[in-house]
Amino acid sequence: MTQRIENIHLKRSQPFIKWVGGKRGLLSQIVPLLPKEFNHYFEPFLGGGALFFELYEQGCLDGKKIYLFDINSELINAYDMVKEHPTKLIETLSQFKEKHSKEFYYEVRAWDREENFLERDNIERASRFIYLNKTCFNGLYRVNRKNQNNVPMGSYKNPNICDSDAIYSASYALQNATILNASYQEVLKYASKDDLVYFDPPYYPLNPTSSFTSYSEFEFLDREQKELFEVFCALDKKGTFIVHSNSDTPFINKLYQKFDIQNIQANRFINSKSSGRGKISEVLIRSEQW
């Protein structure tokens, strides 16, 4: 697989999926706030992996162990297939692209209603994940209580369903990464003093109607945010560098008040009303190691 990648021209590594709350537009604000030197890198809420790919491109991860976690098993399967079998994945995605239509979208979306869904081939499941991501409304990943995808189809004229360059480049970047389908809490087993951990959890909602936390079958509200805070504190006691993105709300600011809180400006794109889009303040919380 690696030899196959080396024989093609690789473009700059970047996320191969869209992700609500992804950090591609904030990297110029986040990267300068990271430690200049650290040991190994951990990203326990992987999502689109924008910060990982940026640090990889800048050479900041050379010679370091890399651990990428997410509780979303379909997302992690997609990363595994991008890493291990990019050519097979591209071939299957090309078939999805040829079949793309409203009827095909809803047919594929319904696969997770089948009893044998998890018995499907991993390449097929990864292709489904990427296909839905590229063609659904705003790249949103949302599931119901039964962990079934329920996002409607988007209105794109020519969605980039099979971006072979992005997949090959991402595959190359992922070769030295350990990819785990695990809770963020597992980071406590791996991270040590002077390692860097970047937390990018589902954000605490700005108001009761603004929550997009169900990116897995689990919600991430008050109790879950407090549990994450306890993990943050435990890592801080180890001497780990921790950086944590979240919403700029009284709840989050009070919870992390003893730590360094930096404000950054983000663009909000997902809102049913145009008046609800535009610049919004977020926080980047850093541990006491700086």
Side-chain angles (χ1 to χ4, degrees):
M1 188 278 303
T2 302
Q3 183 63 44
R4 175 68 182 88
I5 291 177
E6 289 173 349
N7 288 336
I8 68 171
H9 175 71
L10 294 174
K11 71 175 187 180
R12 194 178 195 279
S13 296
Q14 59 185 332
F16 58 90
I17 54 172
K18 300 179 288 184
W19 203 251
V20 173
K23 295 299 178 288
R24 292 179 71 174
L26 297 176
L27 293 173
S28 63
Q29 297 178 71
I30 293 175
V31 173
L33 296 174
L34 301 180
K36 302 302 181 185
E37 300 289 339
F38 58 90
N39 289 337
H40 306 306
Y41 180 71
F42 297 81
E43 196 163 331
F45 294 91
L46 180 54
L51 185 57
F52 157 70
F53 287 113
E54 179 66 21
L55 294 178
Y56 172 83
E57 281 296 323
Q58 292 191 14
C60 299
L61 302 181
D62 293 351
K64 303 180 189 300
K65 292 182 179 179
I66 303 162
Y67 294 85
L68 307 175
F69 301 25
D70 205 283
I71 199 171
N72 186 325
S73 59
E74 292 306 297
L75 171 69
I76 289 300
N77 177 63
Y79 270 90
D80 281 335
M81 295 304 100
V82 167
K83 176 183 176 180
E84 301 294 343
H85 304 291
T87 300
K88 290 182 180 179
L89 180 62
I90 290 167
E91 291 171 353
T92 305
L93 272 174
S94 296
Q95 297 171 12
F96 277 55
K97 181 178 180 180
E98 291 177 3
K99 297 178 181 179
H100 177 54
S101 67
K102 183 176 181 179
E103 292 72 23
F104 184 68
Y105 176 89
Y106 286 104
E107 175 188 332
V108 170
R109 194 188 75 167
W111 285 2
D112 59 12
R113 275 75 170 169
E114 301 170 356
E115 291 185 2
N116 64 344
F117 172 60
L118 295 179
E119 298 175 10
R120 284 183 177 267
D121 180 80
N122 287 340
I123 288 289
E124 194 174 39
R125 282 171 45 215
S127 297
R128 171 187 182 266
F129 184 91
I130 295 172
Y131 168 72
L132 293 181
N133 175 265
K134 297 291 188 178
T135 57
C136 73
F137 173 74
N138 276 346
L140 178 64
Y141 186 87
R142 185 186 63 201
V143 295
N144 59 25
R145 291 289 181 177
K146 295 181 180 180
N147 201 27
Q148 298 167 339
N149 191 302
N150 62 1
V151 183
M153 181 177 168
S155 57
Y156 311 107
K157 291 185 177 180
N158 187 29
N160 192 8
I161 294 168
C162 184
D163 189 342
S164 58
D165 288 343
I167 290 173
Y168 276 127
S169 296
S171 182
Y172 194 84
L174 289 165
Q175 288 308 298
N176 293 322
T178 298
I179 304 170
L180 300 173
N181 179 206
S183 165
Y184 72 89
Q185 295 165 326
E186 294 293 302
V187 73
L188 289 170
K189 297 180 180 179
Y190 298 92
S192 301
K193 179 179 172 60
D194 294 333
D195 289 339
L196 172 60
V197 176
Y198 175 54
F199 286 131
D200 186 24
Y203 277 19
Y204 189 76
L206 297 174
N207 56 64
T209 63
S210 66
S211 176
F212 285 96
T213 58
S214 295
Y215 80 118
S216 72
E217 66 268 37
F218 304 104
E219 292 185 329
F220 213 89
L221 301 174
D222 294 49
R223 179 174 62 85
E224 292 78 14
Q225 294 284 353
K226 290 177 181 177
E227 290 172 350
L228 173 57
F229 174 73
E230 294 301 322
V231 173
F232 187 106
C233 292
L235 289 170
D236 181 58
K237 290 180 180 178
K238 284 187 175 188
T240 307
F241 295 111
I242 318 143
V243 179
H244 172 194
S245 294
N246 216 312
S247 55
D248 185 7
T249 60
F251 177 86
I252 293 298
N253 280 284
K254 182 177 180 180
L255 193 61
Y256 288 90
Q257 60 186 325
K258 75 173 185 177
F259 296 103
D260 178 59
I261 300 177
Q262 302 282 333
N263 288 94
I264 57 179
Q265 297 298 310
N267 287 309
R268 180 196 289 175
F269 295 108
I270 295 186
N271 197 299
S272 59
K273 298 179 180 179
S274 59
S275 60
R277 303 170 191 158
K279 292 288 185 181
I280 186 171
S281 177
E282 296 185 0
V283 294
L284 196 74
I285 305 157
R286 305 191 298 177
S287 56
E288 296 179 338
Q289 272 34 71
W290 274 263

